[in-house]
Amino acid sequence: MEGHILESIELYSEALSFLAAPNAIILSNRAQAFIKVENYGLAILDASAAVEADPSYPKAYYRRGTANFALNKYKSARKDFKMVCKLKPKDRDARMRYTACDKMVKEAAFAAAIVSTETIPLSDSYDPSDIVISMNYDGPHPNGGEACLVNGEMDKENTLFQPGNLPMEFVLSAVQQFKDQKLIHKRYVARLLINCKRYFETLASLTEIRIPPESTENENSPHVTVCGDTHGQFYDVMNIFQMNGYPSSSNPYLFNGDFVDRGSFSVEVILTFLMFKMACPGCIYLTRGNHETKNMNRIYGFEGEVKAKFDDKIFDLFLEVFCQLPLAAVIEDKVFVTHGGLPVVPTSLAEIKKIKRGCEPPEKGLMSDLMWSDPQPFPGKSPSKRGVGYSFGPDITEAFLKKNDLKLLVRSHEVKDEGYLVEHGGKTITVFSAPNYCDSMGNKGAFIHFGKDLEPKFTQFTEQPHPEIRPMAYAAGMGGLFS
């Protein structure tokens, strides 16, 4: 099935169409394929049908438990894995999954019990100045010297990480450090994240982007480059920059969410984006995807990667940054860009601009719709195949664009064979920028140029070689279900 997941879904569907009665094995296999492409809602439907077809088939409960876990439905997942343990009492893996679910149920209950509006964010109490940089560190320093700043100079160091102050020389040296499979020091990462969080929380939930003016720095006509999911594929991001130039005020980028997870160089990807943002806020724009969330990071590897490369406090700081990222952008008041899709109720840009952030996305509402929804070819709305949000038809797209005097919707969120797909009569574009997604899908990546005429111009590209670290290498516990 690996490398041909979408094709396998079609083949399982075809096989089921020839059968007089539902088949638990085929339904469970299709459920697993749906899980692979994050269509958790469809996976739950298939697994439930498999349970009904054969209540004694363990894999049906296993698949449903996996999908429920991905949707934060820990109690339902625990119930399913408990049934697997009952049907296969000697299955150590099932017992481990049940234990993981039970732990999450208890953690969720504990968190709910102690939640307080007075909880102090880690970024307000964590002092990077206490982190010592040893003489063995061979990476770049933001002050441009061969040694770090010392006690008495910490305010100066912190100032370097504030918006517009981070030297581009440091950013480019850090990028080279990443290419060489090394990291920058934890103290600098902590300063970067704390300052990014404070910067993003001053912004509106809707970012307004302008096409840059003519410039001698850029030989091409002025444009904004829009990229879709990059999912920790650092060496493919480097290929984008090689093809299209590094971010600058005359060559701005918009990366449309899902920077992390699955790919095992997610730390390098997101740090690169954030460093460019602090060096030149107008050179790169970021919108939040459904993988810039705590639960997705736990399952798909980013949490494990950060803790392996740094520690749990740095991961918590990443979560604070993610919770403050803008949710959408509009280019020249005409092209609306968001990670997932559109709300299914009439919504104005002014309402989107005022969405309250600083939290994990709720199960429903505007934030959830923007981060999770998908287009569908027929009119109206439908429950999402993912189990969160809705699918929206061309009529909903048309109404949203008309209400807000917009020309086009650009979203990401779904792998596409050619790296992009135009739908809804040319009104909706999906762009995906992680080629050969997870080293297995065989898809191309793409990015879009928008110039003064705001007509999309597509560039496709293929995957680049990367060090021998497989996707999901840092996923642990329940994460192994999704690899």
Side-chain angles (χ1 to χ4, degrees):
M1 185 172 68
E2 187 174 274
H4 302 282
I5 297 173
L6 298 179
E7 181 182 351
S8 72
I9 291 173
E10 294 179 4
L11 292 174
Y12 288 136
S13 300
E14 184 177 354
L16 288 166
S17 70
F18 287 118
L19 299 177
N23 181 282
I25 295 175
I26 297 176
L27 284 165
S28 293
N29 287 347
R30 191 172 68 173
Q32 176 64 3
F34 281 135
I35 289 169
K36 291 275 189 178
V37 293
E38 299 183 22
N39 289 345
Y40 307 119
L42 294 180
I44 290 171
L45 291 175
D46 268 6
S48 296
V51 168
E52 188 173 341
D54 184 356
S56 65
Y57 187 56
K59 282 190 177 180
Y61 299 98
Y62 199 99
R63 304 305 186 214
R64 190 168 67 181
T66 301
N68 275 318
F69 189 90
L71 295 175
N72 294 345
K73 298 178 180 179
Y74 303 126
K75 288 184 179 180
S76 296
R78 182 177 63 176
K79 183 178 180 181
D80 282 325
F81 284 110
K82 184 177 182 180
M83 180 59 74
V84 178
C85 292
K86 181 178 180 180
L87 294 170
K88 299 183 68 177
K90 295 184 179 180
D91 190 324
R92 293 176 60 188
D93 182 73
R95 181 66 58 184
M96 182 183 72
R97 306 304 180 190
Y98 172 79
T99 302
C101 290
D102 190 55
K103 179 182 177 183
M104 291 308 303
V105 170
K106 292 175 180 177
E107 284 185 5
F110 179 74
I114 65 170
V115 68
S116 169
T117 56
E118 297 179 1
T119 301
I120 299 175
L122 178 62
S123 58
D124 287 352
S125 59
Y126 189 69
D127 186 1
S129 301
D130 294 335
I131 303 171
V132 177
I133 299 179
S134 74
M135 297 295 292
N136 295 328
Y137 173 66
D138 64 352
H141 299 281
N143 58 307
E146 295 184 1
C148 63
L149 296 176
V150 296
N151 290 338
E153 299 179 299
M154 291 297 99
D155 287 344
K156 179 180 178 182
E157 181 178 280
N158 186 60
T159 299
L160 289 172
F161 283 90
Q162 293 175 4
N165 289 349
L166 193 62
M168 191 60 74
E169 294 80 3
F170 172 74
V171 176
L172 296 177
S173 295
V175 168
Q176 185 59 52
Q177 185 88 342
F178 299 157
K179 289 180 182 179
D180 295 337
Q181 300 182 62
K182 298 178 182 180
L183 297 169
I184 59 173
H185 200 274
K186 184 174 76 170
R187 187 166 94 192
Y188 300 147
V189 173
R191 289 211 188 278
L192 176 70
L193 294 176
I194 291 170
N195 280 285
C196 281
K197 185 249 184 171
R198 291 171 180 166
Y199 172 71
F200 284 125
E201 67 184 352
T202 67
L203 305 180
S205 290
L206 178 69
T207 301
E208 297 178 359
I209 302 174
R210 300 295 172 188
I211 306 295
E214 296 280 354
S215 171
T216 56
E217 297 178 20
N218 195 338
E219 59 186 31
N220 300 314
S221 58
H223 59 264
V224 171
T225 301
V226 179
C227 298
D229 304 37
T230 50
H231 276 299
Q233 297 186 197
F234 174 73
Y235 295 89
D236 293 312
V237 171
M238 292 299 100
N239 185 42
I240 293 173
F241 291 159
Q242 183 174 355
M243 296 170 64
N244 195 59
Y246 277 120
S248 68
S249 59
S250 61
N251 187 36
Y253 283 80
L254 168 56
F255 282 91
N256 193 29
D258 280 12
F259 322 118
V260 303
D261 279 340
R262 292 200 182 264
S264 293
F265 305 94
S266 294
V267 163
E268 289 84 348
V269 169
I270 185 60
L271 288 180
T272 295
F273 293 167
L274 294 177
M275 285 189 296
F276 273 112
K277 190 66 178 176
M278 289 295 99
C280 177
C283 80
I284 190 170
Y285 301 91
L286 306 174
T287 53
R288 189 181 188 183
N290 64 300
H291 276 268
E292 278 71 61
T293 56
K294 184 176 183 178
N295 191 56
M296 291 290 104
N297 295 163
R298 177 185 296 118
I299 294 171
Y300 289 100
F302 184 61
E303 178 177 351
E305 182 182 346
V306 175
K307 290 180 178 180
K309 294 178 177 179
F310 295 107
D311 58 29
D312 57 344
K313 286 185 170 58
I314 294 298
F315 176 65
D316 288 343
L317 291 175
F318 269 117
L319 291 180
E320 288 192 35
V321 173
F322 291 165
C323 285
Q324 297 295 345
L325 289 171
L327 303 173
V330 61
I331 302 172
E332 291 291 347
D333 303 317
K334 290 297 180 183
V335 178
F336 182 75
V337 185
T338 193
H339 179 72
L342 298 178
V344 293
V345 297
T347 304
S348 69
L349 294 184
E351 290 174 286
I352 292 173
K353 194 172 186 177
K354 294 177 182 178
I355 294 173
K356 185 178 179 180
R357 308 192 309 280
C359 61
E360 293 297 316
E363 290 189 11
K364 59 183 179 179
L366 287 182
M367 181 185 291
S368 176
D369 289 345
L370 294 171
M371 292 170 63
W372 278 95
S373 294
D374 295 293
Q376 64 183 22
F378 44 87
K381 69 175 183 178
S382 304
S384 172
K385 59 191 178 184
R386 299 175 186 269
V388 182
Y390 290 92
S391 296
F392 58 96
D395 55 327
I396 292 176
T397 298
E398 184 67 34
F400 178 83
L401 296 178
K402 184 176 181 181
K403 177 181 178 65
N404 292 288
D405 193 25
L406 295 163
K407 175 181 178 179
L408 182 67
L409 163 66
V410 177
R411 42 90 61 179
S412 303
H413 198 37
E414 292 181 285
V415 60
K416 298 299 179 185
D417 287 344
E418 296 300 315
Y420 71 94
L421 184 67
V422 182
E423 302 174 88
H424 290 179
K427 299 292 187 180
T428 297
I429 295 174
T430 298
V431 60
F432 194 85
S433 303
N436 194 27
Y437 183 40
C438 295
D439 286 356
S440 65
M441 294 295 287
N443 61 290
K444 296 176 183 175
F447 56 81
I448 311 172
H449 282 177
F450 285 101
K452 291 292 186 182
D453 60 3
L454 296 179
E455 291 296 323
K457 297 177 177 61
F458 302 97
T459 298
Q460 296 170 292
F461 55 96
T462 56
E463 76 274 15
Q464 297 297 299
H466 63 74
E468 291 294 323
I469 304 176
R470 62 179 176 81
M472 299 281 286
Y474 297 96
M478 291 295 290
L481 292 170
F482 303 88
S483 57

